[in-house]
Amino acid sequence: MDKLAGMAMFVRVVELGSFAAAADASQVSATMVAKHIRIIEQRLGARLLHRTTRRHQLTEVGRLYYERCRSALAEVDLAEASASELQATPRGRLRLVAPVSFGSESLVPALVEYLHRNLEVSIDLALDNRAHDLIREGYELGIHIGDLQDTSLVARPLRPYRRILAASPAYLERAGRPRTPQELSEHMCLGHSYWRLQGLWHLVGPEGEACEVAVKSRFTTNQGAALRVAALHGAGIVLQPEILLAGDLDAGRLEAVLPQWSYQPTPMHLVYAPDRRPTAMLRSAIDFLVARFG
């Protein structure tokens, strides 16, 4: 007789408490149930159940075998479900959260492409620079920039996040162009109020050399987009994500400052809760984002 069928019948006997109850649930005779159990005991060479007139109790071997059978049957169910899921069409509403600059400049165009490919998926994107509790707040996916704090999440590495220096041509004509990182201390540098050490910029050079520069600023804000606008209006040198400034650099509205130097690249990850059975929608979104930004 099939081993899995015998294991399933044994689990049913244990959980329902008797051969008769297992027979009713399986729509077979009690004799057939007993035959399943007898064949297993003969194969193992050990008794699994103490039989009484009212109820069957597990032996020590039976208790161990029961736990292993439950695990094995659960894995079989998971394999069956996963195989079916692989053939399913992604559908549903995907909730994800990402930092503001990366989300608006890079993630949104990618998600629009994903929607074109997956017509039965809709997306709810939150843009926020604060840390989020994905599980408690109901997000399936998150983009995290910086060191990972929540070790309970699955984290897929993406390309490191790069920040560069830039300023408007008008500002550079007026204040001069710094030739070394140390000369930044003589310029107006636009500050981000979320940074812990606003007066220190940690830069990395072309050979990986590190440089810490003390800078001063008369303008700070908590949004990179506002710092970009301030730089466009000649307020000073901005240190912001390359993706945020790329269009202005290409158009000549901003000029790169010390182009071989950048802020120390920051790790970036796609994070999500561990799930032994992800939906077709979630699996396709993870694969798409890792391929695009990994």
Side-chain angles (χ1 to χ4, degrees):
M1 300 176 77
D2 181 76
K3 281 187 180 181
L4 285 176
M7 293 165 67
M9 187 64 73
F10 173 67
V11 168
R12 204 165 291 134
V13 168
V14 173
E15 294 179 347
L16 295 179
S18 70
F19 285 6
D24 288 342
S26 307
Q27 297 183 329
V28 298
S29 67
T31 301
M32 179 61 70
V33 175
K35 187 175 182 181
H36 274 287
I37 304 304
R38 186 171 63 253
I39 289 174
I40 296 173
E41 290 180 330
Q42 289 172 351
R43 186 172 68 246
L44 298 178
R47 183 176 291 277
L48 301 177
L49 297 163
H50 293 302
R51 294 156 175 84
T52 65
T53 55
R54 291 189 173 185
R55 194 169 182 85
H56 302 299
Q57 293 186 339
L58 288 169
T59 65
E60 190 61 34
V61 173
R63 187 174 295 106
L64 176 61
Y65 188 67
Y66 167 70
E67 294 296 335
R68 296 300 174 89
C69 284
R70 284 190 63 191
S71 298
L73 293 170
E75 288 295 332
V76 171
D77 289 342
L78 178 61
E80 295 278 331
S82 298
S84 298
E85 190 66 44
L86 283 171
Q87 303 177 63
T89 299
R91 58 171 55 88
R93 187 169 190 81
L94 179 67
R95 297 191 69 228
L96 66 161
V97 62
V100 176
S101 294
F102 176 81
S104 57
E105 297 296 326
S106 291
L107 185 58
V108 167
L111 291 177
V112 171
E113 180 181 337
Y114 174 81
L115 288 175
H116 288 323
R117 296 185 186 184
N118 299 278
L119 299 180
E120 296 187 48
V121 175
S122 59
I123 287 176
D124 181 356
L125 171 65
L127 297 179
D128 196 332
N129 289 330
R130 69 181 177 87
H132 285 266
D133 185 330
L134 259 64
I135 298 174
R136 185 175 61 82
E137 297 179 44
Y139 293 108
E140 285 89 7
L141 291 173
I143 301 292
H144 182 84
I145 297 175
D147 294 330
L148 292 169
Q149 305 296 327
D150 190 347
T151 57
S152 68
L153 298 174
V154 179
R156 301 284 296 274
L158 304 177
R159 287 192 300 273
Y161 200 57
R162 188 168 182 264
R163 297 175 177 89
I164 61 172
L165 297 155
S168 70
Y171 172 83
L172 295 173
E173 286 295 328
R174 183 174 72 251
R177 290 169 172 78
R179 293 165 296 178
T180 66
Q182 289 73 21
E183 291 182 14
L184 291 172
S185 60
E186 303 169 8
H187 285 262
M188 284 296 107
C189 295
L190 305 176
H192 200 299
S193 53
Y194 277 168
W195 291 352
R196 286 190 305 108
L197 301 175
Q198 296 178 28
L200 291 174
W201 283 1
H202 299 272
L203 304 178
V204 176
E207 304 299 325
E209 63 272 37
C211 179
E212 182 178 280
V213 183
V215 297
K216 58 180 182 288
S217 176
R218 294 177 57 209
F219 182 83
T220 61
T221 180
N222 65 343
Q223 288 292 338
L227 291 173
R228 166 186 165 270
V229 173
L232 288 170
H233 285 77
I237 296 174
V238 68
L239 175 59
Q240 279 298 296
E242 188 173 25
I243 58 171
L244 181 63
L245 307 179
D248 296 314
L249 291 168
D250 291 342
R253 294 185 293 268
L254 292 177
E255 291 184 17
V257 172
L258 300 172
Q260 292 188 309
W261 291 81
S262 67
Y263 194 79
Q264 183 172 350
T266 306
M268 183 165 67
H269 292 85
L270 177 67
V271 295
Y272 50 94
D275 190 341
R276 299 178 69 204
R277 186 184 169 186
T279 63
M281 175 189 69
L282 183 58
R283 189 180 59 252
S284 68
I286 291 170
D287 291 345
F288 176 84
L289 293 173
V290 169
R292 173 60 62 89
F293 298 112

